[in-house]
Structures are given as structure tokens and as C-alpha cells.
């Protein structure tokens, strides 16, 4: 991790309330994030990217999220979406990612409709949860491809053709829909386009073979796109622990002769929070490292390995929530005041945990695989 990223992260806690109030990352912060190179971590070397290891990416997002949840979340989304450069046709990737500081975002949910139009697609649709939409250079949206009569186009495998299409953010309408209880500074608004012509090299499918040569592009897609999100709850858990330790040294609860930190129950709670964050972070890094080692050797990734990565992602989310909840409760009434960052950690970590990738329901698919059954949802 660069010293520039750590220096920037150190400046963020003082800006958390302002970021939340604005509902977006301020332009100067976005410029500073670009300058750190964080958005190039999972871009191909052929595009000037760093092709960082999973450990390096998790470390970077965790540090940013500990400093400010919204900044960490937007960075994780941009990192994951930028990794799609390896799946776009090379000509499109070189056009969209003309600079390593380019930021992309969007939604994989196929709520758009793409009609075949010559060699390209004519796209209309509305997508939700466009995190970072206020500052992204390009957005992408999931679409079902249909023919001129409106019938789904089928792939050779007999499934509807689903694509992600990329378009400049300036060509989309951003809808002011992000009125929420956490991660307020992410500007995760809905966005829409109507009858927008998309050239073929700006569309991709996960069935496409990645074109870059590096180890990173032999990884299954899920770790690239979703693992950075798991680092956000871990970072928020770390921030809550640090805040509780600071508070416990100076707060003496009402009708108590001991500081918060001298109370047995609070000591147990901070220990449990520390264990949750550290163990979940270790599992996440271990699961990713196991996959990385196999693909580096050229070995195939098993379904069990994919399931364990998904398990580690969900577990990181649950551990971050557990740590924040413990610290929030231990802090007492101090935690509910707007001037105390603990209430923001609480709201942000619970908002993050509601994301479909981080939610508790993901454990069901993992359990099926551990029992030797076929997964009921794709484990890309």
C-alpha cells in the first residue's frame, strides 16, 4: 500500500460528517483518490494497471473504510468494476480505460433491455445502487439482449444472452434516489438511459475469455468483483474498536468509580470485537490466497474453493457487524450522539451488510456445496 494512500486515509475521519451530509464524495477527495493509484490496482498491466495481489487490495480498502465508510465503499466498487476491463473486448477496454485513474461503477442486475441494432445494441433501462455515480467516468448496466420482435436472444448453451454494457456517465440520467440510513456519502443513486446506442466493443459477458495475460485474469470473476466489498465491514469494525479504546480511556460511566476501559464487561466486549475482525480478515485473505496460488500455477479452481471465497466474504460482513455492534453497545449513550463517529460506523456497517453479496443469505449456497450438492445460485 502506498504512503500516499495512508496519508489520505489519515485525513478522512475529520471529513466523515461532511461527506455524509453532502451525500457524495467531494471532488477534491475524488481527485486525491485518483492520484493514489487505488483505482488502478485491479487494472491489467497492459492498461497501465498495477495488477495487485488480493492481499494488497483488501488492505487498501480496509484502511480507507476504517477512515470513512463511504470512501471505502466507493473505492471497493470502482476497484471491482474496473476489473471488468479484462472481460471487455480489448479495443473497448483500451478506449474506456484510457488512463489508470479512470473510475467506473454501475450495476450487474439485468434490469436493462438491449435490442440488437446492427453490430451493436440499443439500450434502455434503469438500474439501482449506482455507487459513486456522481463521480464515475463510465457506468455499466446489466441487460437482457432481445431481437427486433422483443424476444430474448439465446446463447449457444440455451440461456438468455445477458450483457453488461458500458457508457459514459454523461450519457446517463442520475436519479436522486439515495435517501438511506447508512453509507450516505456513496451517492448510490439509480441511473437510467433511453435508446442509447452501444458499440459492440463496449459490451461484455462473463462468458467472454479475459484477454490480459496476467495471473489476475485467471482468477474466477467473483473474487475480483466482490471481495473488495467485504473489506469495508472489516474496516468499519476496526474503526469502531479504535474509537471504543479511545473513549474507554476517558469516560467514566454514570454512578461508576471506574473508567469504561476498567470494566470487566467492556474488556470482554472489545476482545470479542478484536477477535471477530482479525479472524474474519485472516479467513478472507486465506481463501483468496488459496485461489491465487492455484491459478498462478495454472491449476483449475474447484467449486469448493469458490464456495469458500463466498463464505469468507459473507463471514467478513457478519464479523464487521458483530464488532461494531459490540463497540456501539459498550460505548453506552455516548455512541448515539451525532458528534460521535460510532453512530456512523453502526449505520454504515449495517447498510453494507444488506448488500446481496454480503448478506447472510449467501451462506445457503455455500452450505449446499459443502454438502456436495450443486449450488443454487452461480458461484462465478
Amino acid at each position: 500500500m502506498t504512503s500516499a494512500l495512508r496519508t489520505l486515509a489519515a485525513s478522512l475521519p475529520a471529513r466523515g460528517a461532511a461527506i455524509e451530509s453532502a451525500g457524495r464524495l467531494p471532488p477534491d477527495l475524488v481527485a486525491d483518490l485518483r492520484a493514489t493509484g487505488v483505482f488502478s490496482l485491479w487494472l491489467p498491466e497492459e492498461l497501465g494497471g498495477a495488477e495487485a495481489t488480493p492481499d494488497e487490495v483488501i488492505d487498501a480498502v480496509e484502511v480507507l473504510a476504517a477512515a470513512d465508510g463511504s470512501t471505502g465503499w466507493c473505492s471497493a466498487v470502482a476497484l471491482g468494476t474496473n476489473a471488468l476491463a479484462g472481460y471487455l473486448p480489448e479495443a473497448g477496454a483500451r478506449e474506456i480505460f484510457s488512463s489508470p485513474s479512470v473510475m467506473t461503477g454501475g450495476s450487474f442486475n439485468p434490469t436493462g433491455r438491449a435490442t440488437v441494432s446492427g453490430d451493436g445494441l440499443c439500450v434502455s433501462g434503469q438500474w439501482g445502487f449506482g455507487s459513486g455515480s456522481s463521480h464515475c467516468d463510465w457506468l455499466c448496466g446489466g441487460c437482457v439482449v432481445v431481437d427486433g420482435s422483443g424476444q430474448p436472444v439465446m446463447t449457444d448453451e440455451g440461456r438468455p444472452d445477458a450483457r453488461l454494457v458500458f457508457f459514459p456517465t454523461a450519457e446517463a440520467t442520475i436519479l436522486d434516489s439515495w435517501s438511506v440510513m447508512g453509507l450516505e456519502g456513496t451517492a448510490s443513486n439509480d441511473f437510467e438511459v433511453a435508446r442509447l446506442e452501444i458499440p459492440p466493443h463496449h459490451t461484455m459477458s462473463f462468458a467472454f475469455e479475459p484477454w490480459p495475460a496476467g495471473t489476475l485474469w485467471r482468477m474466477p470473476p467473483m473474487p475480483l468483483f466482490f471481495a473488495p466489498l467485504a473489506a469495508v465491514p472489516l474496516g468499519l469494525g476496526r474503526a469502531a474498536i479504535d474509537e471504543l479504546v479511545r473513549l474507554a480511556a476517558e469516560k467514566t460511566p454514570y454512578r461508576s468509580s471506574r473508567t469504561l476501559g476498567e470494566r470487566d464487561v467492556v474488556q470482554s466486549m472489545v476482545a470479542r470485537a478484536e477477535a471477530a475482525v482479525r479472524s474474519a480478515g485472516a479467513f478472507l485473505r486465506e481463501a483468496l490466497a488459496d485461489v491465487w496460488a492455484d491459478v498462478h500455477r495454472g491449476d483449475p479452481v474447484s467449486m469448493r474453493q469458490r464456495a469458500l471465497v463466498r463464505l469468507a466474504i459473507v463471514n467478513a460482513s457478519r464479523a464487521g457487524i458483530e464488532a461494531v455492534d459490540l463497540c456501539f453497545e459498550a460505548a453506552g449513550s455516548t455512541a448515539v450522539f451525532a458528534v460521535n463517529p460510532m453512530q456512523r460506523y453502526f449505520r454504515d456497517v449495517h447498510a453494507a451488510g444488506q448488500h446481496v453479496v454480503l448478506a447472510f443469505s449467501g451462506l445457503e449456497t455455500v452450505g449446499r456445496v459443502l454438502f456436495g450438492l450443486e449450488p443454487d445460485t452461480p458461484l462465478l
Side-chain angles (χ1 to χ4, degrees):
M1 188 187 314
T2 65
S3 59
L5 187 63
R6 288 195 178 277
T7 300
L8 177 60
S11 72
L12 292 178
R15 305 186 67 178
I19 291 170
E20 186 173 68
S21 177
R24 57 176 291 174
L25 304 190
D28 67 300
L29 173 54
V30 174
D32 289 343
L33 284 166
R34 292 181 193 268
T36 67
V38 66
F39 302 123
S40 71
L41 289 178
W42 271 355
L43 279 178
E45 288 184 354
E46 293 90 337
L47 299 179
E51 289 198 18
T53 65
D55 263 7
E56 292 171 313
V57 167
I58 297 302
D59 288 349
V61 174
E62 192 170 344
V63 165
L64 288 171
D68 177 67
S70 291
T71 302
W73 186 265
C74 286
S75 298
V77 168
L79 267 163
T81 314
N82 280 10
L84 295 172
Y87 289 84
L88 279 161
E90 184 175 354
R94 293 189 178 278
E95 188 173 316
I96 292 168
F97 298 95
S98 57
S99 163
S101 65
V102 164
M103 295 177 66
T104 60
S107 171
F108 294 178
N109 194 15
T111 55
R113 189 179 180 89
T115 304
V116 176
S117 176
D119 291 335
L121 298 171
C122 181
V123 173
S124 296
Q126 179 175 329
W127 298 268
F129 302 100
S131 298
S133 54
S134 63
H135 56 255
C136 286
D137 302 296
W138 292 72
L139 292 172
C140 66
C143 296
V144 174
V145 180
V146 298
D147 61 23
S149 64
Q151 296 301 307
V153 174
M154 308 302 287
T155 66
D156 292 341
E157 293 75 29
R159 294 189 295 267
D161 188 1
R163 299 286 185 95
L164 276 174
V165 300
F166 280 78
F167 42 85
T169 302
E171 295 186 0
T173 299
I174 308 297
L175 307 175
D176 186 11
S177 60
W178 192 240
S179 179
V180 290
M181 55 77 74
L183 296 176
E184 293 181 75
T186 61
S188 300
N189 292 299
D190 288 13
F191 59 99
E192 64 180 1
V193 299
R195 301 194 59 77
L196 184 63
E197 295 289 336
I198 306 292
H201 57 292
H202 288 180
T203 77
M204 57 144 289
S205 163
F206 292 122
F208 291 2
E209 287 294 323
W211 59 269
T215 297
L216 192 64
W217 312 106
R218 297 196 292 273
M219 291 277 285
M222 187 178 69
L224 295 183
F225 311 140
F226 300 143
L229 296 180
V232 175
L234 293 177
L236 289 165
R238 170 57 52 203
I241 292 168
D242 291 347
E243 175 59 23
L244 178 60
V245 170
R246 184 200 65 78
L247 177 65
E250 63 184 38
K251 177 179 177 178
T252 300
Y254 177 61
R255 302 188 71 178
S256 174
S257 61
R258 297 180 295 167
T259 64
L260 202 61
E262 293 173 321
R263 301 181 69 185
D264 295 351
V265 65
V266 174
Q267 293 165 358
S268 296
M269 293 170 86
V270 76
R272 288 168 58 196
E274 186 74 30
V277 168
R278 284 182 177 268
S279 58
F283 179 28
L284 179 63
R285 289 169 172 84
E286 175 193 301
L288 292 169
D290 184 55
V291 173
W292 179 270
D294 276 7
V295 299
H296 185 70
R297 291 192 299 265
D299 295 337
V301 179
S302 70
M303 186 61 69
R304 181 182 176 85
Q305 286 175 298
R306 294 169 191 257
L308 288 176
V309 169
R310 180 67 186 276
L311 176 59
I313 289 171
V314 176
N315 184 62
S317 170
R318 299 301 101 187
I321 290 171
E322 178 187 0
V324 174
D325 285 355
L326 283 164
C327 294
F328 184 87
E329 182 178 356
S333 59
T334 304
V336 304
F337 284 88
V339 295
N340 190 288
M342 192 73 80
Q343 50 78 29
R344 189 164 61 252
Y345 305 149
F346 181 88
R347 290 184 289 106
D348 284 352
V349 79
H350 281 277
Q354 295 299 101
H355 190 283
V356 64
V357 171
L358 303 180
F360 187 80
S361 58
L363 296 180
E364 297 173 8
T365 297
V366 175
R368 289 183 61 86
V369 174
L370 295 180
F371 277 129
L373 304 173
E374 287 297 312
D376 54 355
T377 57
L379 287 172
L380 296 174

